[in-house]
Amino acid sequence: MELTLAIIITVVGASTPILIAALGELVVERSGVLNLGVEGMMLIGAIAGFVVQFHTGNPYLALLCGAAAGMAASLIFGFLTLSLSANQTATGLALTIFGTGFSALAGSSYSARPVSLMQPLFPSDLSAHPIARVIFGYSFPVYFSFIMVVAIWYFLHKTRAGLILRAVGENDQSAHSIGYSVIGVRYMAVMFGGAMAGIAGACFPLLLTPQWAERMTAGRGWIAVALVVFASWKPFRLLGGAYLFGLVMTMELYAKAGSGPLSAVPSELWAALPYIATVAVLVLISLRRDASTNAPACLGKPFLPAN
Amino acid sequence: MPNRLELTGITKQFPGVLANDHVSFAVKPGEIHALLGENGAGKSTLVKMIYGIMQPDAGEIRWNDEPVMVANPKAARKLGIGMVFQHFSLFEALTVLENIALGMDAKIPSRELESRIRGVMETYGLALDPHRTVATLSVGERQRIEIVRALLLNPQLLIMDEPTSVLTPQEVDQLFTVLRKLAAEGCSILYISHKLHEIKALCDTATILRAGKLVDTCDPRQETSRSMAEKMIGTGLKDIVKAAGRTFGPPKLVVNRLSTGKTGHFDVPVDNVSFTVRAGEILGIAGVAGNGQNALLDALSGELIGDDSEAITIDGLGIGLLNTTERRRQGLCAVPEERNGHAAVGDFTLSDNSVLTARDRLGMVMMGLINSGAAKTYTGRVIADFAVKALGPASTAGSLSGGNLQKYIMGRETLQKPSVLVVSQPTWGVDAGAAAAIHQALVDLSMAGSAIVVISQDLDELRALCDTLAVINMGRLSEARPVKEFNVEEIGLLMGGVHGATEGTDAIPA
């Protein structure tokens, strides 16, 4: 029982940053932009969040600054791909490389200096009972991620702004001819995606490991990108996918600890599993035609207005 | 009563082209006003300026006697100008309701919008289910969305850009009923079309543009189709010259129970199609877009390869298992509907595009090396013979206008002298002068003994050009009969899927 609860709590912790980053990328892709720089924006958010937490000790300010830093990074991407129509794939990859290098440079003087973890949102007497802890024992980003799943679903399917965003991703020329600002909508989406990636990055020092380490996001940004495809661009499927990946990553930790039945499988295999699963999922989805038709029709194509 | 819309001295300059040169005309309330002209005459540019997509360099637009600046389409809609585009600006993955909501500038709760949509549909007899996804709708139904969307704004001027090019004759009649009702209620209509008999039937006034200049404003009911066409192109119009009493040779292309598999989600496959084309014969295949024409063309050209060699034969030789290149060697050339990206590579030069389809038949490749001299000479001949407006063989295909690219593609294929030529929409979007030239080239090719299949949605074209006619509906082909035996009514019924006594899916090749 104790172990099961501990596993649940670890899974939630591991899944939350992936879910937040993937939700941002989902909105970006629904607007027709493919930003492969999620990993880079997460790292920039992580170092920004860490530095603010280190100096102020205010985790909410740290999350906010993580979001701002991620948004700033996404603006570089937005300017290059939207204003200058640069290739989105290449620019996204460059952003990841830039984010990796920049965060390593900015964080070089902070190595091995611990910060305090973010405290749970609810008072501790509410989560005294082990079962209650599973529900009330988390800090703010966990609840934020759940709220965002519902909020983004509602935004995309129930609001006019969400309809316009989907329209821009579906047929940019038509949206333009009706009179919507394709570039404007995409800038907003890209900035939102950057902010979400920044928050996701800041979750690493605030929720998981309370110190700075180079490349501490360890490829989770890539998993977030793959998850969006896995979830066929639907927020609730994204929730399921993120927790599935979170579960597999937690298995790795318990396998490494060398106790219980999990250790029968080498931990390296557990570690590789999320990435193998990502590849397998992408292959499966490519084989299923009707699922891939759910992709925004203009995904990854630069918008150049006719005439 | 003041004019609804009045243009004075509208001028628009593009790099290298004067698209509109001091164009002035007026549209009265409740008037159905035709805008006529060849491709590149400046109709689209003019309409885009009225709808606010572009701004004129000089000149004045007056709306209900007030000078206005139409800054963008939103401003145009606010004034009361609605537009139905030739290429629909619809979102395939969204529903009818969502599509219409996107076109509305005011925020309207979706329940209220739905009831207003149903109201407009009832008033004008436009049937549509608001909750269907656009991708599942026919072209005619898609056009209805655009019309409903425009009508919801209670426009005082409705601009229609080539609205009938994709409709069956019955759908055209329905559309005209709607437009006449609108005009009777005082809404002005600016109607752009190539189809002169439609303009004669529908419009009160016609403004004719040529090379950006206004050449005439006339009453189409006082004109003949021919006189208007001649004003459009500026010279006399040539008729199709067909030798009288032509006889056909032996069967050349025989298609026997040809079927294709379903390839895409919204694709209509060909179902058990049989027909025969004799040497010297032109067979027309009529039908509303999206009834299997693309699958039929792909199956004949070799883009879709079947499993029966004998399903398609040329001079008795089974080619059903051959690919496009091998079929070309056997003498079968094909022109698909989509010009840029399918029939030609936009980023390649015309010369390179010639190599792509003519290399084997005209020996443009020697031991794997391209003989660029031969390609250039041949391309030059195509440009000269078909009066293609291009700088030369080195211009890229994408730099040509749609009509000119079509002339080039038709020239490239016919000058290879194929023994069988399959063409889809040979004159879609091509002006009257160029269309006449393309038609004549097809007739000349048939007189030289080739068998020709023309797939088209333009009934006038098929009736003028073809010897025999068949109708395709939901992938099934009616029996082919001499074109003189059909009347428009009957073709229209077949296009709509009413087969009646002429049920033809199991027709035995004649």
Side-chain angles (χ1 to χ4, degrees):
Chain A
M1 185 65 191
E2 227 10 73
L3 182 69
T4 315
L5 292 180
I7 289 180
I8 292 176
I9 287 167
T10 324
V11 169
V12 170
S15 308
T16 297
I18 305 178
L19 180 57
I20 294 176
L23 281 169
E25 179 68 6
L26 182 140
V27 171
V28 175
E29 292 193 13
R30 272 295 181 100
S31 80
V33 179
L34 180 68
N35 186 352
L36 294 182
V38 178
E39 177 80 2
M41 297 188 297
M42 281 173 77
L43 280 167
I44 289 174
I47 185 63
F50 174 86
V51 170
V52 172
Q53 174 74 342
F54 182 82
H55 289 290
T56 69
N58 183 341
Y60 292 95
L61 190 63
L63 282 176
L64 204 64
C65 289
M71 198 188 280
S74 73
L75 271 175
I76 305 175
F77 174 86
F79 178 70
L80 288 170
T81 58
L82 301 175
S83 296
L84 304 181
S85 302
N87 180 295
Q88 293 178 7
T89 308
T91 311
L93 291 174
L95 181 60
T96 287
I97 296 167
F98 168 74
T100 311
F102 177 81
S103 60
L105 177 70
S108 57
S109 56
Y110 290 97
S111 58
R113 300 171 80 170
V115 288
S116 51
L117 281 174
M118 197 169 185
Q119 291 306 305
L121 185 62
F122 299 105
S124 55
D125 44 339
L126 203 62
S127 52
H129 189 275
I131 302 281
R133 228 179 89 216
V134 170
I135 302 167
F136 297 110
Y138 309 107
S139 52
F140 167 75
V142 172
Y143 302 103
F144 171 76
S145 70
F146 285 119
I147 292 167
M148 287 313 276
V149 172
V150 181
I152 287 172
W153 173 83
Y154 186 85
F155 169 78
L156 286 175
H157 295 282
K158 299 287 168 191
T159 70
R160 186 174 163 79
L163 178 60
I164 293 169
L165 182 120
R166 283 189 290 145
V168 164
E170 208 51 56
N171 188 340
D172 47 12
Q173 294 295 348
S174 292
H176 175 69
S177 73
I178 292 175
Y180 295 113
S181 164
V182 174
I183 299 292
V185 168
R186 289 187 174 169
Y187 257 111
M188 301 301 275
V190 164
M191 283 162 65
F192 175 77
M196 291 290 275
I199 292 172
C203 285
F204 283 83
L206 292 171
L207 260 62
L208 303 173
T209 23
Q211 57 176 349
W212 170 251
E214 269 184 40
R215 302 179 191 224
M216 72 186 302
T217 55
R220 305 290 157 81
W222 294 109
I223 291 178
V225 171
L227 262 182
V228 176
V229 184
F230 171 77
S232 17
W233 294 270
K234 290 176 179 153
F236 282 100
R237 287 200 198 172
L238 203 58
L239 179 67
Y243 273 79
L244 191 69
F245 278 88
L247 181 71
V248 173
M249 281 183 260
T250 310
M251 292 304 159
E252 180 209 341
L253 294 179
Y254 282 89
K256 249 187 201 155
S259 66
L262 289 174
S263 53
V265 184
S267 72
E268 288 79 4
L269 188 65
W270 285 110
L273 208 53
Y275 304 96
I276 295 170
T278 304
V279 173
V281 158
L282 290 177
V283 169
L284 279 177
I285 282 174
S286 313
L287 291 176
R288 271 183 54 206
R289 268 172 183 271
D290 54 331
S292 59
T293 50
N294 196 41
C298 290
L299 185 59
K301 290 185 210 150
F303 171 68
L304 299 162
N307 306 313
Chain B
M1 205 173 349
N3 286 320
R4 178 67 36 87
L5 174 77
E6 190 174 343
L7 305 183
T8 319
I10 296 290
T11 302
K12 180 78 184 176
Q13 173 84 46
F14 289 127
V17 197
L18 191 56
N20 285 140
D21 185 3
H22 294 89
V23 176
S24 308
F25 69 92
V27 183
K28 289 193 264 299
E31 180 186 33
I32 305 184
H33 192 115
L35 199 54
L36 266 174
E38 297 189 273
N39 290 305
K43 298 174 309 231
S44 304
T45 308
L46 194 59
V47 165
K48 279 179 182 164
M49 287 187 285
I50 298 172
Y51 196 57
I53 298 171
M54 288 177 194
Q55 305 304 319
D57 296 336
E60 188 187 49
I61 300 177
R62 291 177 83 86
W63 176 253
N64 290 329
D65 233 17
E66 301 278 329
V68 287
M69 262 283 300
V70 191
N72 51 47
K74 206 172 237 180
R77 288 192 292 265
K78 211 164 182 181
L79 288 172
I81 302 175
M83 177 151 178
V84 176
F85 291 90
Q86 180 183 10
H87 301 290
F88 307 142
S89 42
L90 292 175
F91 305 92
E92 300 231 336
L94 307 184
T95 65
V96 173
L97 188 64
E98 286 175 327
N99 265 282
I100 293 176
L102 279 168
M104 309 295 287
D105 297 318
K107 285 183 194 170
I108 304 165
S110 74
R111 211 165 291 163
E112 191 194 325
L113 182 63
E114 191 176 334
S115 74
R116 281 178 57 188
I117 291 171
R118 290 192 191 277
V120 168
M121 287 179 186
E122 210 156 294
T123 312
Y124 295 99
L126 299 153
L128 263 182
D129 175 5
H131 293 288
R132 271 180 69 186
T133 306
V134 171
T136 65
L137 299 177
S138 75
V139 187
E141 289 171 313
R142 291 177 191 208
Q143 186 183 51
R144 266 176 243 161
I145 304 176
E146 293 272 6
I147 295 172
V148 169
R149 176 150 83 184
L151 293 185
L152 278 170
L153 300 163
N154 300 316
Q156 296 177 46
L157 172 70
L158 185 62
I159 304 171
M160 306 280 299
D161 191 0
E162 307 239 2
T164 60
S165 54
V166 291
L167 304 183
T168 63
Q170 281 81 0
E171 284 176 317
V172 171
D173 286 343
Q174 283 171 16
L175 174 69
F176 282 8
T177 312
V178 173
L179 294 182
R180 287 198 188 99
K181 190 171 159 79
L182 268 173
E185 289 167 2
C187 177
S188 308
I189 291 164
L190 194 56
Y191 187 90
I192 302 176
S193 178
H194 286 300
K195 298 186 182 171
L196 299 161
H197 69 271
E198 285 180 358
I199 285 171
K200 278 175 66 68
L202 184 72
C203 300
D204 308 308
T205 318
T207 291
I208 301 174
L209 296 180
R210 191 197 316 146
K213 286 199 182 81
L214 190 146
V215 288
D216 196 14
T217 297
C218 58
D219 180 348
R221 286 161 300 200
Q222 308 293 321
E223 303 277 334
T224 63
S225 292
R226 192 186 179 94
S227 67
M228 286 193 287
E230 285 175 352
K231 281 177 189 164
M232 264 162 63
I233 59 176
T235 58
L237 196 64
K238 279 190 229 144
D239 285 314
I240 298 177
V241 186
K242 266 194 198 175
R246 277 191 307 150
T247 51
F248 304 126
K252 204 155 191 79
L253 174 70
V254 178
V255 175
N256 191 12
R257 297 180 187 279
L258 175 70
S259 295
T260 61
K262 205 166 163 58
T263 49
H265 211 55
F266 305 112
D267 171 70
V268 177
V270 170
D271 180 12
N272 204 7
V273 162
S274 303
F275 61 84
T276 299
V277 194
R278 290 160 287 185
E281 182 179 0
I282 303 180
L283 169 72
I285 294 181
V288 183
N291 271 295
Q293 287 99 328
N294 291 340
L296 178 60
L297 185 113
D298 289 349
L300 291 176
S301 71
E303 278 187 63
L304 285 176
I305 300 173
D307 47 17
D308 178 7
S309 172
E310 299 301 316
I312 306 168
T313 57
I314 295 180
D315 295 328
L317 180 74
I319 60 161
L321 299 178
L322 303 184
N323 64 28
T324 40
T325 306
E326 291 159 346
R327 288 187 197 192
R328 279 185 182 279
R329 279 198 204 113
Q330 295 302 330
L332 186 149
C333 292
V335 179
E337 174 180 332
E338 179 70 36
R339 293 160 199 156
N340 213 338
H342 195 174
V345 182
D347 291 336
F348 278 19
T349 64
L350 294 180
S351 221
D352 289 345
N353 272 296
S354 299
V355 173
L356 288 178
T357 75
R359 60 179 187 276
D360 289 331
R361 299 186 60 78
L362 300 175
M364 288 179 189
V365 175
M366 303 271 271
M367 294 166 51
L369 298 175
I370 294 171
N371 181 349
S372 55
K376 224 166 153 179
T377 314
Y378 178 68
T379 309
R381 222 180 99 211
V382 172
I383 292 174
D385 286 10
F386 280 77
V388 180
K389 279 179 201 149
L391 292 175
S395 1
T396 58
S399 70
L400 268 60
S401 74
N404 272 305
L405 186 57
Q406 182 71 358
K407 284 198 272 184
Y408 160 75
I409 291 164
M410 289 302 299
R412 179 184 71 184
E413 300 305 327
T414 49
L415 292 183
Q416 290 181 39
K417 307 227 176 311
S419 62
V420 176
L421 179 65
V422 184
V423 266
S424 183
Q425 305 284 13
T427 59
W428 194 12
V430 173
D431 55 63
I438 289 173
H439 288 157
Q440 192 58 50
L442 287 172
V443 168
D444 291 347
L445 186 67
S446 76
M447 291 203 289
S450 299
I452 299 176
V453 179
V454 178
I455 302 171
S456 175
Q457 290 156 32
D458 185 343
L459 283 185
D460 297 332
E461 167 171 72
L462 291 175
R463 281 153 59 86
L465 187 64
C466 300
D467 303 303
T468 39
L469 190 69
V471 179
I472 193 165
N473 176 256
M474 294 309 288
R476 293 160 29 159
L477 194 69
S478 76
E479 188 189 347
R481 285 191 287 148
V483 72
K484 293 182 201 76
E485 292 180 12
F486 280 102
N487 60 38
V488 176
E489 194 81 0
E490 194 185 346
I491 301 173
L493 290 174
L494 286 170
M495 283 163 81
V498 183
H499 285 267
T502 55
E503 177 65 55
T505 47
D506 287 324
I508 291 138

